[in-house]
Amino acid sequence: MPTATTLHEGLQTLLNECVRVVMLTGDNKTTADAVARKLGITEVDAEILPEHKSEIVARLRSPPPMSASPRASEPTWRSRARA
């Protein structure tokens, strides 16, 4: 399956700029993986029904959860050299 040179170049530009590229497709997984590999896309969601694509896009657009930090009431452990 031939892909347009401009598409490949455009995707490479995005990937080089650390833009997260995700391929969402209704195609079967084998076909989707082959196309993604040819284009340099590492994240693929295949066999997605059209009505589910918007849910996946919304999830991908949402900010990642904040990592937990210790609460002020929790002890902070420090190593001490004993004399």
Side-chain angles (χ1 to χ4, degrees):
M1 175 176 171
T3 55
T5 302
T6 55
L7 173 62
H8 186 68
E9 290 171 356
L11 284 170
Q12 287 309 307
T13 299
L14 291 172
L15 294 169
N16 290 340
E17 294 183 15
C18 298
V19 173
R20 183 178 180 193
V21 176
V22 179
M23 180 178 174
L24 298 178
T25 182
D27 292 338
N28 70 56
K29 182 151 178 54
T30 302
T31 301
D33 286 341
V35 172
R37 189 171 34 258
K38 186 171 184 175
L39 295 172
I41 298 171
T42 58
E43 290 186 66
V44 181
D45 278 340
E47 302 175 4
I48 306 297
L49 296 174
E51 58 268 22
H52 295 142
K53 286 182 182 178
S54 61
E55 296 168 16
I56 295 169
V57 169
R59 179 176 43 87
L60 291 170
R61 285 185 173 169
S62 65
M66 298 294 289
S67 61
S69 60
R71 288 181 262 168
S73 61
E74 293 177 354
T76 302
W77 299 100
R78 296 183 186 131
S79 63
R80 292 187 218 177
R82 294 187 182 225

